[in-house]
Amino acid sequence: TAGYWMKHAGPRDDLMFAGASLYTAPWNASSNALGAATLLFQSNGTDNYYYPAYSPDGSLLAFNYAPSGSNFHNPLARVKVVVAGQASPTAVDLAKLNDDPTVQNGAAGRVTNSWPRWSPFVQTYKSGNILWITMSSTRNYGLDIKNDGNQNCYPSESPNWVTPVFSDNKVNPPCTRTQLWMAAVKLDAAGVAAGQ
């Protein structure tokens, strides 16, 4: 299954997808075409695999996983990594990147980690190789941005819509603010397997 489209109820319908499986396919540069697709992770119809991104060295594939819900602004979204090219891949949850013990979006750890993307280069740190990964997240940011228990909503995409007010602890109900966050990922096999 490649997933299914959902409609979001609101002032305007917004299409999003859920229940998506994750596939890879080789690219043939001479014929300018994709090859046969290979299934990496099969959705059970409820869980969702989406937003994949290969590391610049081609060794890792990062993607989002959510046990339920759509791809858009899902507070259950977590960043996972798999070693590229494995026949039976094991998805590694990047716990240090994903977990946050504070209560946000109604429960601990619901920080909407989404759209993982790699930095374009490999770096050396303490005689090992690392890659930086960037994602959007609604986690709290110090004392300035508190997303405690707020609804996931987003700014309008048209000047005709009413712009929601972001969280400032003065407006009820406030909208969560998405920020960009970065984390380093160790490139050795043991580091990847341990989610470091």
Side-chain angles (χ1 to χ4, degrees):
T1 359
Y4 55 91
W5 289 101
M6 302 174 66
K7 280 195 171 189
H8 174 71
R12 303 284 189 271
D13 285 337
D14 188 13
L15 292 175
M16 55 195 85
F17 64 86
S21 299
L22 190 60
Y23 293 81
T24 61
W27 175 254
N28 186 326
S30 60
S31 65
N32 211 20
L34 285 174
T38 302
L39 177 68
L40 287 184
F41 298 102
Q42 177 72 49
S43 173
N44 61 14
T46 303
D47 55 357
N48 209 2
Y49 300 90
Y50 55 100
Y51 298 157
Y54 275 103
S55 61
D57 67 346
S59 67
L60 299 174
L61 177 66
F63 58 92
N64 271 125
Y65 168 78
S68 63
S70 75
N71 63 310
F72 185 77
H73 221 302
N74 188 331
L76 302 175
R78 296 179 71 83
V79 176
K80 295 201 176 203
V81 172
V82 66
V83 175
Q86 291 181 330
S88 298
T90 300
V92 177
D93 184 86
L94 299 179
K96 289 186 178 182
L97 176 146
N98 286 313
D99 291 337
D100 189 322
T102 60
V103 173
Q104 297 165 100
N105 296 304
R110 295 170 59 104
V111 292
T112 319
N113 289 340
S114 193
W115 281 101
R117 293 294 179 259
W118 298 99
S119 62
F121 46 83
V122 177
Q123 289 184 300
T124 302
Y125 178 73
K126 293 187 177 181
S127 70
N129 289 332
I130 61 170
L131 273 169
W132 289 94
I133 194 166
T134 304
M135 80 221 158
S136 67
S137 181
T138 59
R139 65 186 68 226
N140 291 338
Y141 180 70
L143 299 174
D144 292 328
I145 299 176
K146 294 289 188 183
N147 288 324
D148 307 329
N150 297 326
Q151 298 286 324
N152 272 337
C153 50
Y154 49 96
S156 59
E157 297 173 6
S158 163
N160 297 329
W161 296 13
V162 176
T163 303
V165 177
F166 285 109
S167 175
D168 62 4
N169 295 325
K170 297 176 186 165
V171 178
N172 191 11
C175 289
T176 56
R177 280 194 211 187
T178 302
Q179 301 285 313
L180 291 177
W181 293 80
M182 290 185 80
V185 176
K186 289 175 94 176
L187 279 180
D188 61 274
V192 171
Q196 298 177 336

